[in-house]
Amino acid sequence: MSNLIKNLYYCYFESDYQIDDTKLSKFHTHFHNYYEILILVKGKIKVVTQNNIFLMQDNEILVIEPLIYHKVITPDGSDYKRIIINFSLEENCKKQIERLKKITYIHAESDQNLLDFIQRFQYYYTTFSKEDFLLLAHGLTNELLLLLCEHASQETRIIKSNLKPLIKQILDYIDANINKKITLKSLAAYFKLTPNYISITFKNEINTPIITYIKNKKMIKAHSLIKNGENPTQIYYKLGFSDYSNFYRYYLNFFGYPPSKKSDLSEPNHKE
């Protein structure tokens, strides 16, 4: 079997999981620089991404690409069972990466191999010790990726995104201009709206302050540039920061290590 996984950050099964008031704050809209596969083993949830809303039911699989903002909502607050796998791919797996990009949502009921995988994952996770399960985790994730890549396109239950058209336009504008200095004032001028209106509307829709969103996106971009060999002392200017010290502080706070340190990106040490 080909080794597709470069780093495996999380790989776990949760039974009878519930988002109650004490956990709700953890389920803010967020993103990360690695893939996430969410398998809903049992229950009903709604996953909101930048572009779509997915209504998930038993044995359905959602693949979330890096840098995609998303959050989970339980419409009725009931328990559910899920498998979460977070990983990055080997850079030489270009064929598999392209195929994975075409996969978003799969109904596993139509694929016995995927159903068998879900059952085995639960069995291994609940039977073996944590240390022993981790020995299996890389192989399981590689197997799942190969199964997903071979899986034919399935019918997807997607509700058209309920994001306000303005917010979608702002998100697209930020992505297209991430290398420029973007301020609330410049956004207001571009969209011919007041800064206060943009700020409030964005926060209500995305659940993250717009300036925080922009800076976080810039940090992910900065990390990618540094990983590709660019000098941090030159990157800050490219990304629209006024000085290196400001860029340095934000980078350190976001990742937990300075920009001079080349590191594979794991869970960002930041707060939305």
Side-chain angles (χ1 to χ4, degrees):
M1 181 184 296
S2 301
N3 184 33
L4 308 178
I5 305 301
K6 182 176 183 179
N7 288 308
L8 185 63
Y9 301 115
Y10 298 101
C11 189
Y12 59 89
F13 166 68
E14 290 182 311
S15 176
D16 299 325
Y17 194 81
Q18 184 180 45
I19 303 177
D20 55 28
D21 291 340
T22 62
K23 298 173 183 174
L24 189 59
S25 62
K26 297 181 181 179
F27 283 78
H28 50 65
T29 308
H30 66 286
F31 71 94
H32 30 66
N33 198 39
Y34 42 73
Y35 285 91
E36 176 168 307
I37 294 180
L38 166 60
I39 302 175
L40 185 63
V41 178
K42 187 174 182 60
K44 292 182 179 181
I45 62 173
K46 179 164 64 175
V47 181
V48 181
T49 70
Q50 287 179 203
N51 302 310
N52 294 302
I53 299 176
F54 299 88
L55 295 180
M56 298 188 68
Q57 298 182 15
D58 297 1
N59 295 318
E60 292 184 335
I61 302 171
L62 180 63
V63 180
I64 303 172
E65 289 188 50
L67 307 184
I68 297 297
Y69 263 73
H70 57 280
K71 66 178 176 180
V72 176
I73 298 174
T74 52
D76 57 2
S78 58
D79 295 353
Y80 65 94
K81 297 181 180 180
R82 66 178 187 171
I83 292 171
I84 295 287
I85 303 175
N86 295 133
F87 60 93
S88 61
L89 293 169
E90 289 287 358
E91 296 175 2
N92 60 354
C93 298
K94 293 182 179 180
K95 180 179 178 181
Q96 287 80 5
I97 291 174
E98 289 304 314
R99 296 178 72 178
L100 191 61
K101 286 182 178 180
K102 298 178 181 179
I103 301 169
T104 301
Y105 195 83
I106 289 177
H107 187 59
E109 290 286 355
S110 61
D111 190 315
Q112 189 59 48
N113 288 327
L114 285 173
L115 287 177
D116 290 343
F117 173 88
I118 294 172
Q119 291 297 320
R120 284 189 293 106
F121 189 103
Q122 295 176 75
Y123 173 77
Y124 292 152
Y125 193 89
T126 56
T127 301
F128 293 103
S129 67
K130 181 178 180 180
E131 291 75 17
D132 288 343
F133 176 78
L134 290 177
L135 295 176
L136 297 169
H138 273 79
L140 285 170
T141 305
N142 274 291
E143 178 186 355
L144 176 59
L145 290 177
L146 291 172
L147 289 174
L148 292 176
C149 287
E150 291 300 322
H151 190 92
S153 299
Q154 298 294 318
E155 180 180 355
T156 304
R157 288 199 305 278
I158 304 178
I159 297 179
K160 187 177 180 180
S161 175
N162 66 347
L163 283 178
K164 294 180 183 297
L166 170 64
I167 300 304
K168 181 65 172 65
Q169 292 171 18
I170 291 174
L171 292 173
D172 290 342
Y173 178 87
I174 292 171
D175 285 343
N177 295 277
I178 198 65
N179 290 331
K180 300 177 182 178
K181 184 176 182 179
I182 306 173
T183 66
L184 190 54
K185 184 177 180 180
S186 66
L187 284 169
Y190 181 85
F191 289 100
K192 296 180 172 59
L193 296 167
T194 66
N196 190 53
Y197 180 82
I198 289 180
S199 178
I200 293 175
T201 305
F202 191 93
K203 176 67 183 299
N204 289 341
E205 287 287 300
I206 304 299
N207 199 31
T208 300
I210 189 167
I211 297 304
T212 300
Y213 176 95
I214 293 169
K215 287 185 176 179
N216 289 352
K217 279 279 195 173
K218 287 179 179 291
M219 291 302 99
I220 297 293
K221 179 67 173 179
H223 182 276
S224 177
L225 293 174
I226 292 171
K227 185 178 177 181
N228 289 331
E230 295 203 32
N231 192 323
T233 59
Q234 298 175 349
I235 289 173
Y236 83 93
Y237 182 76
K238 288 184 178 181
L239 294 176
F241 282 84
S242 58
D243 58 76
Y244 181 71
S245 60
N246 185 32
F247 167 79
Y248 181 94
R249 285 194 300 271
Y250 202 93
Y251 192 102
L252 180 62
N253 180 64
F254 188 83
F255 291 114
Y257 51 81
S260 56
K261 178 182 177 181
K262 291 184 179 180
S263 175
D264 290 320
L265 180 57
S266 58
E267 181 68 19
N269 183 30
H270 72 282
K271 299 178 181 178
E272 301 290 351

